[in-house]
């Protein structure tokens, strides 16, 4: 299959890498030459790691050989699917869709990897809206086993089914998101945990909060570590977009860091100093699991009660999308929430 990925940043390069690993012909576009170069370097680094560990059997050069960097959007012509992964800015994404639609034919699926913008709203930039859907990957796409498949108001049944099929073809678990709600399933839960953690800083240090996440709940990363890892800039832009649409994502610390240019792991500093690699999170007594998870569990119930997801899907989505050892509702039972 010919796949085009628009945007070679944190998510875009990873999505391109996954499609290439599974034998697809990938075209990777970025408006900025430097970003494209960096994206390709990161793919090479990641493929080398995967090869060293025996997680891929094909040589990295061969996988790289299926990825063609493109400098003009018109080169997406002939793609079966175009996946947009540019920054979380509505107008920027809308411009990309309008431009892409000029070059592809009627059967091409256009997907967005947006974290926070409504699919229906975004589809309004297109002339043919039934071809559009959300395919939401998790960072880093090459290691995370989940992709949310989101239908907007106009997405056709055929395109939605094809989206699920494409996700399976790259060996990822598709989670259908039945309603186009802000943050879909995983991010709605994650945004609650982020805001809870930011609020808890009036009582605990970030190290104490991350210690509970890492050492008691056994999450793969602390909450502030994850904010840094997914990008302070990305999370700040997300928080602005979702707040505009009535979803509470209050975290004043994000704005402070953003304004200082501390974008997290990618810039070497965020909540933590990343100049020497991942922060070491020591065990410290901190918030209880109940304090950290109560709002997230309420959000999980909201998703089920409003027909967006099922209990089983919420559990699966939090395990595979966030790398938790247990699902959200397993924690809820364990801690009596
Ligand atoms: N490709 C290949 N290898 C990679 C890699 C990549 N992209 N990233 C990390 N690795 C390697 C590391 O280099 C390391 O290799 P080594 O053992 O040779 O040093 C190995 O994987 C393990 O990494 P670490 O020791 O640093 O850490 P972990 O065992 O914790 O695994 C992780 C890393 C998979 C990222 C894990 O920490 C994790 O699951 N974290 C949570 C991530 C998460 O929650 N993602 C979703 C965020 S929300 C989102 O993306 C949505 C968006 O809309 C905001």
């Amino acid at each position: 299959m010919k796949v085009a990925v628009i945007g070679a940043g944190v998510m875009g390069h990873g999505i391109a890498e996954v499609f290439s690993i599974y034998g697809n012909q990938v075209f990777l576009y970025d408006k900025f030459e430097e970003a494209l170069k960096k994206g390709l370097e990161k793919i090479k680094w990641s493929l080398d790691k995967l090869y060293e560990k025996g997680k891929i059997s094909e040589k990295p050069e061969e996988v790289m050989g299926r990825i063609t960097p493109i400098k003009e959007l018109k080169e997406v012509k002939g793609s079966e699917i175009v996946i947009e992964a540019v920054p979380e800015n509505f107008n920027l994404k809308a411009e990309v869709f309008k431009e892409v639609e000029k070059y592809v034919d009627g059967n091409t699926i256009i997907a967005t990897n947006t974290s926070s913008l409504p699919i229906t709203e975004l589809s309004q930039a297109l002339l043919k809206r039934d071809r559009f859907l959300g395919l939401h990957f998790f960072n880093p796409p090459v290691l995370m086993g989940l992709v949310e498949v989101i239908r907007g108001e106009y997405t056709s049944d055929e395109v939605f089914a094809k989206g699920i099929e494409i996700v399976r073809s790259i060996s990822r678990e598709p989670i259908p998101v039945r309603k186009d709600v802000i943050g879909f399933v995983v991010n709605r839960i994650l945004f609650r945990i982020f805001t809870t953690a930011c609020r808890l800083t009036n009582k605990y240090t970030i190290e104490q909060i991350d210690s509970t996440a890492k050492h008691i709940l056994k999450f793969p990363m602390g909450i502030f570590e994850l904010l840094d890892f997914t990008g302070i800039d990305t999370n700040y832009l997300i928080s602005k977009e979702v707040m505009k649409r009535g979803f509470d994502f209050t975290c004043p610390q994000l704005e402070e860091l953003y304004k200082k240019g501390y974008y997290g792991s990618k810039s070497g500093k965020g909540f933590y100093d990343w100049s020497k690699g991942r922060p070491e999170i020591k065990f410290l007594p901190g918030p209880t699991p109940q304090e950290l998870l109560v709002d997230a569990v309420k959000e999980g119930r909201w998703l089920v009660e409003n027909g967006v997801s099922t209990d089983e899907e919420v559990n699966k989505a939090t395990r595979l999308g966030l790398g938790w050892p247990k699902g959200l509702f397993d924690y809820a039972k364990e801690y009596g929430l």
Side-chain angles (χ1 to χ4, degrees):
M1 180 168 66
K2 177 173 170 181
V3 181
V5 179
I6 313 300
V10 173
M11 297 305 289
H13 85 264
I15 296 170
E17 180 183 352
V18 176
F19 274 95
S20 176
I21 289 174
Y22 287 91
N24 299 287
Q25 210 56 47
V26 183
F27 291 78
L28 181 60
Y29 170 86
D30 202 292
K31 183 160 112 176
F32 301 103
E33 210 165 300
E34 192 50 33
L36 193 54
K37 194 170 147 244
K38 266 199 183 153
L40 291 166
E41 281 166 12
K42 285 191 186 147
I43 296 175
K44 178 71 175 55
W45 172 87
S46 169
L47 290 171
D48 284 344
K49 275 258 163 202
L50 297 175
Y51 186 70
E52 265 166 37
K53 292 184 179 168
K55 290 191 177 161
I56 53 169
S57 51
E58 211 181 358
K59 292 227 166 73
E61 308 79 69
E62 282 162 28
V63 182
M64 284 300 284
R66 282 193 293 273
I67 304 178
T68 312
I70 56 173
K71 291 191 182 129
E72 289 191 63
L73 266 182
K74 65 175 181 222
E75 292 175 74
V76 302
K77 198 171 166 24
S79 302
E80 229 171 282
I81 179 164
V82 178
I83 304 173
E84 165 278 314
V86 304
E88 286 297 282
N89 174 304
F90 187 88
N91 294 335
L92 182 65
K93 287 182 190 278
E95 268 171 41
V96 167
F97 301 138
K98 283 191 184 132
E99 190 67 17
V100 163
E101 205 175 29
K102 286 188 202 159
Y103 308 117
V104 295
D105 65 34
N107 295 324
T108 302
I109 294 178
I110 301 182
T112 174
N113 178 56
T114 183
S115 307
S116 58
L117 297 164
I119 303 305
T120 302
E121 232 181 279
L122 284 171
S123 68
Q124 279 155 5
L126 291 169
L127 298 171
K128 192 175 173 335
R129 297 173 183 171
D130 60 347
R131 63 157 97 217
F132 190 74
L133 85 169
L135 287 186
H136 183 224
F137 288 76
F138 294 84
N139 185 17
V142 75
L143 299 182
M144 308 307 282
L146 186 87
V147 180
E148 291 177 317
V149 184
I150 311 118
R151 63 185 314 161
E153 200 180 317
Y154 309 104
T155 312
S156 71
D157 290 345
E158 199 189 338
V159 166
F160 189 65
K162 185 79 186 154
I164 302 247
E165 193 188 300
I166 289 173
V167 170
R168 291 211 173 102
S169 77
I170 51 168
S171 221
R172 296 292 179 277
E173 183 75 32
I175 288 281
V177 179
R178 295 187 182 79
K179 289 186 186 167
D180 185 15
V181 295
I182 298 289
F184 317 129
V185 173
V186 175
N187 276 349
R188 252 187 119 87
I189 292 163
L190 188 60
F191 297 163
R192 289 293 178 223
I193 299 189
F194 284 162
T195 45
T196 306
C198 291
R199 180 171 35 80
L200 286 172
T201 54
N202 60 18
K203 208 166 148 195
Y204 304 99
T205 63
I206 63 166
E207 289 81 4
Q208 285 178 301
I209 296 166
D210 276 4
S211 171
T212 298
K214 214 165 160 170
H215 297 293
I216 299 180
L217 296 168
K218 309 276 185 215
F219 289 177
M221 288 182 166
I223 311 299
F224 293 99
E225 184 188 9
L226 185 58
L227 274 161
D228 274 355
F229 177 71
T230 46
I232 297 298
D233 51 341
T234 306
N235 284 299
Y236 174 65
L237 294 176
I238 289 175
S239 72
K240 301 249 301 183
E241 292 290 354
V242 302
M243 299 270 271
K244 246 193 258 170
R245 292 172 177 80
F247 186 92
D248 181 30
F249 187 157
T250 307
C251 182
Q253 296 94 322
L254 272 182
E255 185 161 9
E256 283 163 32
L257 293 171
Y258 179 80
K259 289 195 168 150
K260 286 184 189 154
Y262 295 161
Y263 291 171
S265 57
K266 67 175 108 167
S267 75
K269 189 163 171 45
F271 286 99
Y272 290 99
D273 178 1
W274 291 73
S275 57
K276 294 188 188 72
R278 271 183 76 173
E280 194 194 331
I281 296 167
K282 297 199 176 76
F283 178 80
L284 292 167
T288 61
Q290 286 87 342
E291 275 181 290
L292 203 50
L293 286 182
V294 63
D295 292 336
V297 171
K298 282 187 199 162
E299 194 60 51
R301 293 291 347 135
W302 185 92
L303 284 163
V304 174
E305 280 163 17
N306 285 280
V308 183
S309 202
T310 63
D311 281 66
E312 200 189 314
E313 285 164 357
V314 167
N315 274 339
K316 198 194 275 182
T318 41
R319 276 192 294 101
L320 298 179
L322 300 172
W324 293 358
K326 297 173 202 167
L328 178 72
F329 295 135
D330 298 324
Y331 283 116
K333 278 192 197 128
E334 184 174 344
Y335 294 110
L337 285 162

